[in-house]
Amino acid sequence: MFINARYDHDAKRFKRKDLNNFSFGIQMQGGGTYPGEESFGDYINQGINVWKANGKNAFGQGDPMRDLVTEEIGQMIDGKWTEFGIFLGWTNAFMIDSYGGMTIGGAGFEIDGNGVFPYKRLSLGKFQGGSDVPGQAPTEYVYAYNGTLWNAYHGLFDSDARARNSFYWGMVSAIDYYDNGSFNPGSGTAGLEEDTTDWELKKRPQGLAHTWQKWKTMFRIRGKDGSAWEQGQYRIPAIKIVQADIVNVTDFNMNYPDSTWTKENTFIVAVRGVLSDGNTKQMGAINATFTPYGVYGYLGGEFASAEILISKYK
């Protein structure tokens, strides 16, 4: 079944009717394989598929891709006529296969919530809200995201109700602008490097624009080390217990667990000391000195061992 398309049996090619508009095709697949999955060897995959083909209106005026749209849906690639899975051919809009799996070709789903407003969206895409800085290059603020939106459109550029807060909860990654070996300003590839990929809760306050600067990060879990940050500034302490050596009965000496702990970012939350009779004593205020190698200090009692509870503030 086609919308704005037909199949030319003589030419054995799909063709557009109106070159300006989008075309759609509904396929009931009784067997075979999906384009790009031929190497899997699964040739009995049944399903219902909705395909979309771009017309000229998919591209702005002056975009060279606009002039490449012809009557025929497809193009020659490496000397072979190709129709599926390419930008000038049929691309996936929605699929359900034999295994119950669903695949959508767009940014995600909208959930209207049986009358609950504003709406929720499950979304995967690139930030499109622009910047408050005139002329700022998109490569300086655009990022890829994968998460849940409430009162925000796919792309985070607008919302159902501008006078209400908008929220985002999910993963954020820097774009890999060298995904094809050279600088590609239009890249859509998420870098997913551990030092540029985080889990974030973002908020766009009511009444404000949806620009990059207005989307404030309220909470962040760093992909690099799993540390958590509130409002992008204050680290939420994660406590680590380190066994200390007892020196001269009343003093302790503790080495840092690894190189990420330094005298600049380490502080003592508490100390648990084991007395000679086996009882445990917890202390809060500790007289301690932080060195490039560790911490030493005074316990003020006769201890058999001690555990130092440390955390970081940077």
Side-chain angles (χ1 to χ4, degrees):
M1 297 176 61
F2 293 111
I3 298 175
N4 192 36
R6 65 186 178 88
Y7 186 73
D8 187 330
H9 290 273
D10 294 329
K12 293 183 171 51
R13 291 185 180 180
F14 296 99
K15 294 185 177 180
R16 299 174 176 85
K17 291 185 176 181
D18 184 337
L19 272 60
N20 290 315
N21 291 333
F22 292 85
S23 301
F24 291 91
I26 300 176
Q27 173 198 9
M28 298 181 184
Q29 179 168 308
T33 188
Y34 285 95
E37 298 184 2
E38 294 84 358
S39 61
F40 296 167
D42 184 357
Y43 289 96
I44 57 172
N45 199 350
Q46 298 169 296
I48 300 175
N49 313 317
V50 179
W51 298 96
K52 181 193 73 169
N54 291 322
K56 290 182 179 292
N57 289 338
F59 312 98
Q61 294 291 339
D63 189 329
M65 289 293 293
R66 186 181 181 91
D67 297 329
L68 296 180
V69 176
T70 65
E71 180 188 32
E72 295 179 328
I73 299 176
Q75 67 182 124
M76 295 295 295
I77 296 180
D78 297 329
K80 181 180 179 181
W81 181 252
T82 305
E83 297 170 329
F84 290 91
I86 59 174
F87 216 49
L88 292 176
W90 292 111
T91 58
N92 166 42
F94 185 77
M95 294 177 173
I96 304 177
D97 65 12
S98 300
Y99 311 104
M102 293 183 290
T103 305
I104 65 171
F109 291 98
E110 177 182 309
I111 302 175
D112 291 352
N114 288 330
V116 174
F117 182 83
Y119 304 132
K120 169 182 176 176
R121 293 170 179 87
L122 302 178
S123 189
L124 172 69
K126 290 199 309 183
F127 177 75
Q128 301 172 25
S131 171
D132 289 338
V133 179
Q136 185 177 16
T139 53
E140 297 180 13
Y141 63 85
V142 172
Y143 55 85
Y145 68 86
N146 176 12
T148 298
L149 315 178
W150 198 353
N151 191 33
Y153 294 158
H154 301 307
L156 291 86
F157 66 92
D158 209 337
S159 60
D160 304 301
R162 296 186 180 185
R164 300 183 185 275
N165 295 324
S166 297
F167 291 93
Y168 167 80
W169 174 238
M171 298 194 73
V172 172
S173 174
I175 300 291
D176 178 9
Y177 286 107
Y178 292 86
D179 57 346
N180 60 5
S182 59
F183 181 65
N184 175 19
S187 172
T189 302
L192 297 182
E193 299 293 335
E194 63 176 14
D195 57 347
T196 59
T197 304
D198 301 323
W199 194 281
E200 297 187 3
L201 170 63
K202 289 178 174 291
K203 173 184 175 182
R204 191 277 311 180
Q206 62 188 51
L208 299 182
H210 293 71
T211 57
W212 174 62
Q213 289 84 355
K214 298 302 189 298
W215 278 97
K216 299 297 184 182
T217 299
M218 309 301 294
F219 180 75
R220 174 185 290 131
I221 300 175
R222 292 280 168 82
K224 183 175 183 179
D225 57 11
S227 61
W229 295 72
E230 182 182 0
Q231 295 182 354
Q233 300 177 32
Y234 306 104
R235 184 187 180 103
I236 298 175
I239 296 175
K240 187 175 183 64
I241 300 176
V242 180
Q243 191 72 34
D245 296 326
I246 300 299
V247 182
N248 298 329
V249 181
T250 59
D251 300 335
F252 73 89
N253 188 19
M254 180 209 81
N255 293 325
Y256 296 127
D258 55 57
S259 60
T260 66
W261 299 80
T262 68
K263 65 178 183 178
E264 285 79 19
N265 67 10
T266 303
F267 68 93
I268 295 175
V269 178
V271 171
R272 284 167 40 91
V274 179
L275 298 167
S276 57
D277 61 3
N279 292 324
T280 299
K281 182 178 181 181
Q282 178 172 323
M283 293 158 286
I286 297 297
N287 182 9
T289 300
F290 296 81
T291 75
Y293 311 102
V295 184
Y296 68 87
Y298 177 69
L299 295 177
E302 295 185 356
F303 292 91
S305 63
E307 292 178 338
I308 315 300
L309 283 66
I310 59 174
S311 189
K312 299 177 184 177
Y313 60 88
K314 289 184 180 179

